Amino acid sequence: MSISHAPPDPSGADISRISLSKADSDAHAPLDLVPLVPLVPTSARRTRVPRWLRRTTGPLVLLALWQLLSSTGVLTSDVLASPGRIAHVGWGLIADGSLPSAMTTSLQRVAVGLLLGTAIGTGLALVSGLFRVGEDLVDAPVQMLRTVPFVGLIPLFIIWFGIGEAPKVAIITLGVTFPLYLNVYAGIRGVDSQLIEAGESLGLSRWGLVRHVVLPGALPNAMTGLRYSLGIAWLALVFAEQINADAGIGFLMVQARDFLQTDVIVVCLIVYAFLGLLADFVVRTLERLLLQWRPTFTGR
């Protein structure tokens, strides 16, 4: 085996000079002449399914399975009425005006309880979160009371307020207060101390710090607490309307229970779920409007 040590052919082209000259020419070429290749993300190459279709697939599949089990006799009408039967009963309740009247009464109770609970919970959170003396005086009693199930206070509320509207609103108010207090308090205490120092260096007063730094920083937690409080409000309403109610969705459920009308009970439960979903949609829309300055990850 022999190795040739012959010099390279002088007539051959120098590859390094060619590549360098080509790179120099590309570097000095005008930007409008350089071809740009668009980069398409991998997620955009997949077929996009509309989000509303994805969100409605689960409930539709569950509804179809429910109808199938009812049609085949696995679910009898005594155990759970079919979706068709429930739709028929619901339309009848709407036609005779009993369901709209019950919804109006229940919405009024939730609105009053939510308004009172929001005012009390937010006020206590501001006192406890902004002042150390307020924390010492307020936080311990609130933490003690929130561990007591509000449903267990129904007998006391009946003794104190009677069997009218007052105990029903009081239960909803109590259920709303504590989640909102915890979230607003956590939001206030979670504000970055460097932001407070920056505000003080800019000459902001105590009220200016609260208005421009503390409250905007606590707003995301407050909106989360409001959403959670709304869910507790509808849960509290179910218990509240069992207290000798003569109107409301809970009153319809009590009547249906006495006559073993599972279709009416399911209609009332669907109305509860629909009203809760509508209230959550309103709060989420309000959250998007108030927190436009805070871009967050929304999923892919």
Side-chain angles (χ1 to χ4, degrees):
M1 179 177 181
S2 62
I3 301 176
S4 175
H5 295 280
D9 185 9
S11 61
D14 191 350
I15 300 177
S16 61
R17 292 180 180 178
I18 295 176
S19 60
L20 288 175
S21 62
K22 183 178 181 181
D24 292 339
S25 61
D26 290 342
H28 294 287
L31 294 178
D32 54 351
L33 298 180
V34 177
L36 299 178
V37 179
L39 298 177
V40 180
T42 307
S43 58
R45 299 171 189 171
R46 297 192 297 264
T47 303
R48 303 291 293 183
V49 179
R51 190 176 182 184
W52 64 267
L53 183 59
R54 297 199 306 265
R55 293 178 67 90
T56 56
T57 299
L60 290 178
V61 170
L62 182 61
L63 188 65
L65 180 61
W66 182 7
Q67 181 64 44
L68 179 62
L69 294 177
S70 299
S71 302
T72 55
V74 178
L75 284 178
T76 61
S77 59
D78 296 335
V79 176
L80 187 62
S82 64
R85 173 63 182 171
I86 291 173
H88 178 73
V89 171
W91 179 254
L93 292 175
I94 294 175
D96 62 15
S98 56
L99 187 59
S101 176
M103 290 174 60
T104 303
T105 303
S106 297
L107 282 174
Q108 289 176 352
R109 291 167 179 162
V110 170
V112 175
L114 183 65
L115 181 62
L116 293 176
T118 301
I120 296 173
T122 304
L124 292 176
L126 290 175
V127 172
S128 181
L130 296 176
F131 309 101
R132 293 181 180 178
V133 177
E135 180 183 8
D136 297 336
L137 296 176
V138 173
D139 188 64
V142 172
Q143 297 296 339
M144 292 172 57
L145 289 176
R146 79 176 184 86
T147 58
V148 179
F150 63 89
V151 180
L153 299 176
I154 292 178
L156 279 178
F157 286 166
I158 294 176
I159 295 175
W160 292 344
F161 306 116
I163 57 175
E165 291 295 316
K168 302 176 180 59
V169 174
I171 292 173
I172 299 172
T173 301
L174 194 64
V176 168
T177 299
F178 298 123
L180 200 57
Y181 169 83
L182 291 175
N183 282 274
V184 175
Y185 174 80
I188 293 174
R189 290 303 176 92
V191 175
D192 192 351
S193 60
Q194 294 182 355
L195 295 178
I196 302 295
E197 295 175 358
E200 291 176 347
S201 64
L202 292 175
L204 291 178
S205 62
R206 187 177 183 86
W207 167 243
L209 287 174
V210 172
R211 179 183 177 185
H212 298 289
V213 179
V214 177
L215 292 183
L219 188 58
N221 286 62
M223 300 306 297
T224 302
L226 183 59
R227 290 182 61 186
Y228 186 63
S229 297
L230 272 173
I232 299 296
W234 292 109
L235 178 63
L237 178 67
V238 175
F239 293 102
E241 291 186 334
Q242 310 296 321
I243 307 174
N244 197 24
D246 56 358
I249 303 175
F251 173 68
L252 293 180
M253 292 184 64
V254 171
Q255 281 189 325
R257 179 199 62 190
D258 295 338
F259 292 100
L260 302 178
Q261 296 175 324
T262 59
D263 46 7
V264 178
I265 295 176
V266 175
V267 168
C268 294
L269 293 176
I270 292 175
V271 171
Y272 274 131
F274 174 75
L275 293 177
L277 187 63
L278 180 62
D280 184 75
F281 173 76
V282 172
V283 175
R284 293 182 68 177
T285 303
L286 183 63
E287 183 178 4
R288 284 194 295 268
L289 293 176
L290 295 178
L291 300 179
Q292 294 180 356
W293 54 270
R294 182 175 175 264
T296 56
F297 178 69
T298 58
R300 292 182 179 178

